[in-house]
Amino acid sequence: MTAFFNAVGFGVVTAALLALATTGLSLQYGVSRLPNFAQGDIMTVGAYAAYAANGPFHSIAIDGIAAALAGAAMAWLVYMALIRPFASRGTNRLTAVVSTLAGSLIIQDVLLIIFGGNATAFPTIQGATEHIGPFLFTTEQLVIIGVALVVIAGLHATLKFTFIGKAVRAVADHRDLSRVSGLPAGMLTQLTWAVSGVLTGIAGFVLGLTAGALVPTLGFDYLLIIFAAAVVGGIGNVGGALFGALIVGLGMTVAAVYISSDYKEVVALILLIATILIRPTGLFGGRSSARRFAV
Amino acid sequence: MDGTPGMHRLEVEDFTVGYGAAPIVKNVSLAVQAGTVTSIIGPNGAGKSTLAKAVVGLIKPMGGRLKVDGVDLSGRTPERLARSGIGYVPQVMNVFPSLTVRENLEMGCFLRRSKTRHRLDAVFTMFPDLRSAAKRDAWTLSGGQRSMLAIGRALMPEPNVLVLDEPTAGLAPRFQTSVWEHVRTVAGLGLAVLAIEQNARLALSNSEQACVLVLGEVRRRGPGEELLADPELVSLYIGGGDGGRSLHAERTA
Amino acid sequence: MTYAISVLTLGGITVILAMGLNVQYGWAGDLNLSYYAYVALGAYVCGVMMLPPPNASEGNFYVLGLHQSFFVGTIVAVAVCAVVGLVVGSIALRRVTGDYFAIVTLSVTLIFYTFSDQYAPLFNGPQGIYGVPHAFGGVLRFSYSGYNLFLLGLVAAVLVVVVFLFEVLYRSAFGRTLRAVRDDPISVSAFGISPYRRKLAAYVLGSAVGGLGGVLLLQYVSAFSPAGWSPLETFLLFSGIIVGGVGSVWGVLFGASVVLIGVPQAVLFIPAPAGAATFLPALQNCIIGLIILVFLYLRPRGLFPERSPVLGFDGALKWQSRPVRFVVGRVRTLLGEGAA
């Protein structure tokens, strides 16, 4: 049982990083209604940016900021180069899937050219461990969970209470209606993608911390796990993203303890397939499709 | 809202609209004066909604010009047309469901945020129902309330022109009448109103001018009362049950 | 000479693989990201059919080990791929299409990859299978170079058969219906044709061709292991389809030859920095990714678009705007204008 409780600590961290990446994906999906298969690679870019910033600065806060900025820039670029040209044409949705996959391939291989194929050691902070109830957390894990909670709560409040947040929700609700109301839908969409990149970049940084080593496929290998959390929670829904991240994160970690850590991704993938086949609106969505982007 | 009487607020010249090779709307011209309502009636598939979408910039016309107060606005994006004073109430998806009523109205005032409070008051005065529902999410509204909210949102930035796409679609008859009363009020403020309407009798009896659009072309035009008095038109588009069928015959011929 | 034979053999196999994928992506319009799982499955199954029983003392484990001929191995491999395709397809296609189908099939690939890598008793885990006997080695007794030439001939023969078969299928009622399903499933359903069945048939056919390609790939390298393939491999095949012309048999033949044989050869002329073994493959993938994007932007239907498109690739928009001639088998109908 101790193993289980110790695993929960790690599972919650996994859930935290998943929640960040999934919330990012939900934001993108909310305003663009197209799936982004390069989402994992935005995480990878965030992780490598943190690594690059760590060399000169040796500060975990600066690492995180670098990851957030690089993620924002990358996500914006993904939108401008891979999503927007196809969203405006009203072409087949699959075109956007193919273009983001092509983008994913390019990002991975550019990273491979710059940083090489060997795993790059990522600095981890060694902190004291703390017991919270029966659960065992390291200080690092608590910081990660705290940062994730603050970022997601901040996003939630922004969407709910600020004028710009409401405008973003208006664009997500009905793009054409927002345009004829005079909202700058194009700019708001770009802004939303950049913000989604902040979350995704931080998620990549956390992934680098927990993995301890960077490879160019780091984030792509995580892509379907993000999709799993998004789909299980009901895509385009911030509350659902948290819920889906928790289920998938804990499911994977508990499976690693009781089955084998080699198969923990399989658990996430089976959750993903089962949800898509049985309840594609997600466990959390479905009440009203009109409220897909509700907060 | 001081419309110069007699001045054409909205002019559509020779509009041709379509997606591919064959246009849906062909060479349509019309002018709407300030303070009046022009309605467009016609059978399903005549291109009425397409025309409305082209006027507000959601579809790029293949040819033709659009002018407001004599200024050529052809080829502008919907955002810029909104800024130029064209308001639009779409037929479906005409409110932001996840926002509250008040937030919906605030979105309408994105262009003039300093005036939001003042405009909110004006719209709430015009639609008292909305004031009491201000904090409700828009997706919980009834059909009638939703139409009011959609019109209210479009009026927030004080447009010069209002384009309505079937504002009464799916509403019970008494709400339809009430919507048109509001349309008249809006015109009374000095706006040029262009309304697409399925209910031809209701539209004609409330419009200064009207066009009958069939297969993308203007088949008849004239003052609303005059068209309403035309027995042939009434039998085709308004009267009993035959109207739809004879139109269908015309379409497939 | 040996090098040219080697390049042509691998290139021919790649073109066969692109052909099979084109049935699913080009004709049925399904973005199947599990395609390479069937290539791997075909290779593994053929391998364990042909290999002798595993020698546990050398640390080898795998299923079967029946020591059968190449011929039997190929038939079993293709059959297994078709059956697995039938099972996976009948579950996935019944419920999902579009981007969700892409996600489900990518998940299936990753699950298969994980098991082939981690579960040693299946296909010998990370070591994979190796030392697979030559095709018809017992009968033909070729020298090493003679065998390479023979394999090239075999690949070329299979390619000719596949192209001929697909050209016939493309023109057949099945091919036309399939493309009509892709362009407008709702209208096709109105004719009493089940889009699901057509799509399933395409999925099974593509899976079988993938398995056949996998068998040839196994013969080419005489080994197969998880390190030798990745789920993204499927995606490289898409470049050939998109460049050549989505759906078009000859277009894909051309596009896959140019992109999937030409680009890897062309990058060899670029000087790689010393000691960076990953540079050229990475550069090659970047170029292929860019080629895909450029074509999606500028020429989404490829260099040689399908002849007489049934509805056009983004059909829904088009049939809203103008009357189109709708051809399904022998039924010819004129659909009227939709509500605008």
Side-chain angles (χ1 to χ4, degrees):
Chain A
M1 211 56 196
T2 320
F4 172 79
F5 285 124
N6 290 352
V8 167
F10 191 70
V12 176
V13 171
T14 309
L17 87 87
L18 266 179
L20 286 168
T22 308
T23 308
L25 188 78
S26 284
L27 278 176
Q28 298 164 1
Y29 193 83
V31 290
S32 294
R33 304 275 157 197
L34 289 169
N36 171 19
F37 279 68
Q39 174 73 347
D41 306 289
I42 299 172
M43 285 173 81
T44 319
V45 168
Y48 272 100
Y51 164 78
N54 191 63
F57 294 111
H58 295 291
S59 152
I60 191 157
I62 291 181
D63 291 358
I65 291 169
L69 292 179
M74 195 65 237
W76 180 79
L77 197 62
V78 164
Y79 170 68
M80 295 303 276
L82 307 175
I83 297 281
R84 199 172 77 153
F86 307 108
S88 57
R89 276 190 214 171
T91 34
N92 196 303
R93 291 173 65 79
L94 290 184
T95 310
V97 178
V98 175
S99 85
T100 53
L101 275 169
S104 162
L105 190 72
I106 295 170
I107 297 170
Q108 284 176 44
D109 286 288
V110 167
L111 289 172
L112 188 60
I113 290 171
I114 299 174
F115 294 98
N118 295 329
T120 311
F122 202 75
T124 49
I125 337 148
Q126 296 301 323
T129 55
E130 286 172 42
H131 283 276
I132 297 178
F135 306 115
L136 187 68
F137 288 99
T138 65
T139 317
E140 181 193 357
Q141 288 175 335
L142 289 175
V143 169
I144 290 170
I145 295 164
V147 167
L149 283 178
V150 167
V151 169
I152 292 174
L155 176 80
H156 176 89
T158 309
L159 286 173
K160 183 102 179 144
F161 301 115
T162 68
F163 188 79
I164 202 109
K166 292 173 194 171
V168 165
R169 278 159 61 206
V171 172
D173 269 356
H174 292 317
R175 187 179 194 83
D176 280 354
L177 186 64
S178 73
R179 297 183 71 195
V180 298
S181 303
L183 297 185
M187 261 167 60
L188 289 168
T189 307
Q190 291 180 36
L191 176 74
T192 306
W193 274 80
V195 169
S196 85
V198 169
L199 272 70
T200 313
I202 297 175
F205 174 47
V206 173
L207 181 60
L209 282 178
T210 55
L214 300 185
V215 287
T217 55
L218 178 78
F220 183 78
D221 294 340
Y222 232 76
L223 175 68
L224 285 178
I225 300 171
I226 302 169
F227 280 168
V231 170
V232 167
I235 194 157
N237 179 320
V238 173
L242 280 175
F243 175 77
L246 210 56
I247 288 187
V248 172
L250 287 177
M252 277 170 62
T253 318
V254 171
V257 173
Y258 288 99
I259 305 171
S260 152
S261 68
D262 296 330
Y263 296 106
K264 63 179 183 185
E265 278 90 5
V266 173
V267 173
L269 296 174
I270 288 173
L271 270 175
L272 171 63
I273 296 177
T275 312
I276 287 181
L277 294 182
I278 297 163
R279 197 181 155 83
T281 48
L283 304 177
F284 212 74
R287 180 162 60 100
S288 159
S289 60
R291 295 201 65 201
R292 286 172 107 170
F293 202 51
V295 282
Chain B
M1 299 246 161
D2 49 346
T4 318
M7 189 176 180
H8 285 160
R9 284 280 197 178
L10 171 71
E11 290 168 273
V12 172
E13 290 174 8
D14 217 17
F15 250 40
T16 300
V17 194
Y19 299 97
I24 297 168
V25 171
K26 294 158 211 156
N27 305 92
V28 169
S29 296
L30 50 91
V32 187
Q33 307 219 20
T36 70
V37 179
T38 298
S39 57
I40 297 177
I41 59 170
N44 279 325
K48 304 188 297 291
S49 287
T50 308
L51 177 62
K53 282 182 183 156
V55 169
V56 300
L58 287 173
I59 304 172
K60 217 163 213 147
M62 296 155 78
R65 322 208 131 270
L66 174 74
K67 290 181 188 167
V68 171
D69 293 346
V71 181
D72 193 331
L73 302 177
S74 312
R76 294 208 177 169
T77 60
E79 293 89 337
R80 292 191 61 195
L81 288 175
R83 221 158 297 166
S84 311
I86 297 187
Y88 173 51
V89 179
Q91 179 182 353
V92 285
M93 304 203 288
N94 50 12
V95 299
F96 301 113
S98 78
L99 303 186
T100 65
V101 167
R102 193 195 168 95
E103 287 167 346
N104 263 275
L105 295 174
E106 285 170 3
M107 287 304 122
C109 222
F110 182 85
L111 303 167
R112 297 178 169 191
R113 278 177 68 186
S114 56
K115 283 196 158 188
T116 306
R117 185 176 296 272
H118 166 71
R119 292 300 303 154
L120 269 175
D121 256 353
V123 169
F124 280 150
T125 311
M126 192 169 168
F127 303 103
D129 276 9
L130 293 183
R131 193 192 292 275
S132 53
K135 288 191 174 151
R136 278 172 62 189
D137 283 350
W139 65 276
T140 64
L141 296 181
S142 70
Q145 288 171 315
R146 208 179 263 238
S147 296
M148 301 302 168
L149 176 56
I151 297 172
R153 193 217 77 249
L155 291 177
M156 282 294 283
E158 300 194 273
N160 302 324
V161 174
L162 187 64
V163 180
L164 298 136
D165 190 355
E166 300 202 14
T168 63
L171 295 185
R174 65 191 171 96
F175 288 121
Q176 295 191 2
T177 318
S178 144
V179 163
W180 269 94
E181 279 165 14
H182 282 108
V183 172
R184 288 304 326 172
T185 314
V186 169
L189 295 171
L191 277 79
V193 179
L194 179 66
I196 312 291
E197 182 55 72
Q198 275 283 6
N199 185 337
R201 189 179 295 279
L202 191 57
L204 293 178
S205 50
N206 280 294
S207 306
E208 278 80 5
Q209 293 285 324
C211 296
V212 181
L213 200 67
V214 178
L215 281 172
E217 286 167 7
V218 177
R219 205 48 73 84
R220 286 290 304 278
R221 70 168 86 219
E225 297 294 337
E226 191 178 296
L227 293 187
L228 201 55
D230 182 327
E232 187 203 6
L233 201 71
V234 169
S235 75
L236 266 177
Y237 304 105
I238 303 165
D242 180 55
R245 231 168 299 143
S246 36
L247 279 168
H248 183 69
E250 185 176 0
R251 285 181 62 200
T252 47
Chain C
M1 187 60 190
T2 318
Y3 179 72
I5 290 174
S6 169
V7 167
L8 285 177
T9 310
L10 183 59
I13 296 169
T14 315
V15 174
I16 293 171
L17 292 181
M19 286 282 163
L21 186 60
N22 184 41
V23 174
Q24 298 166 343
Y25 180 64
W27 297 0
D30 291 322
L31 187 59
N32 172 24
L33 296 175
S34 65
Y35 188 69
Y36 224 85
Y38 293 94
V39 178
L41 184 64
Y44 277 130
V45 170
C46 181
V48 296
M49 286 298 292
M50 290 177 72
L51 283 167
N55 186 342
S57 63
E58 290 173 12
N60 284 334
F61 305 93
Y62 43 82
V63 288
L64 302 174
L66 298 181
H67 214 163
Q68 290 292 321
S69 71
F70 172 73
F71 188 69
V72 174
T74 304
I75 289 179
V76 172
V78 171
V80 166
C81 285
V83 169
V84 173
L86 185 67
V87 173
V88 173
S90 61
I91 296 168
L93 286 166
R94 190 183 289 278
R95 300 299 303 244
V96 291
T97 51
D99 38 359
Y100 270 14
F101 183 73
I103 293 173
V104 167
T105 51
L106 185 56
S107 307
V108 167
T109 316
L110 289 174
I111 291 173
F112 176 71
Y113 188 87
T114 306
F115 274 96
S116 74
D117 193 25
Q118 304 293 345
Y119 187 66
L122 192 59
F123 299 124
N124 211 18
Q127 290 183 68
I129 51 172
Y130 51 87
V132 178
H134 282 170
F136 308 115
V139 191
L140 298 170
R141 300 193 183 285
F142 278 119
S143 67
Y144 178 72
S145 61
Y147 177 72
N148 285 346
L149 202 57
F150 164 72
L151 192 61
L152 176 60
L154 182 66
V155 168
V158 172
L159 181 58
V160 168
V161 171
V162 166
V163 169
F164 176 76
L165 179 75
F166 282 2
E167 184 59 24
V168 171
L169 270 179
Y170 182 89
R171 294 157 189 270
S172 69
F174 170 74
R176 280 178 291 161
T177 321
L178 196 53
R179 283 174 283 135
V181 165
R182 169 197 70 194
D183 293 336
D184 195 345
I186 293 165
S187 301
V188 172
S189 311
F191 287 98
I193 294 166
S194 154
Y196 160 70
R197 287 185 172 217
R198 307 287 154 154
K199 282 170 175 284
L200 182 59
Y203 188 78
V204 172
L205 178 62
S207 303
V209 173
L212 182 63
V215 166
L216 296 171
L217 204 56
L218 175 77
Q219 283 301 316
Y220 175 72
V221 283
S222 76
F224 209 84
S225 70
W229 68 285
S230 88
L232 256 183
E233 215 99 16
T234 305
F235 191 64
L236 295 179
L237 296 174
F238 278 104
S239 63
I241 296 175
I242 289 165
V243 168
V246 179
S248 150
V249 174
W250 295 101
V252 171
L253 181 65
F254 176 82
S257 307
V258 170
V259 180
L260 298 169
I261 305 177
V263 172
Q265 294 306 309
V267 294
L268 292 178
F269 291 101
I270 296 170
T278 50
F279 178 78
L280 285 183
L283 188 66
Q284 174 204 309
N285 286 353
C286 281
I287 292 172
I288 290 181
L290 284 174
I291 289 176
I292 292 178
L293 285 182
V294 167
F295 269 80
L296 288 182
Y297 290 145
L298 302 178
R299 209 178 158 88
R301 302 192 39 182
L303 291 174
F304 302 99
E306 274 182 357
R307 288 152 301 181
S308 61
V310 190
L311 276 175
F313 205 28
D314 37 8
L317 258 182
K318 284 186 180 156
W319 85 261
Q320 228 185 21
S321 60
R322 65 186 154 94
V324 288
R325 200 164 217 195
F326 196 73
V327 186
V328 180
R330 292 206 185 109
V331 185
R332 277 163 193 271
T333 321
L334 206 62
L335 294 179
E337 276 179 57

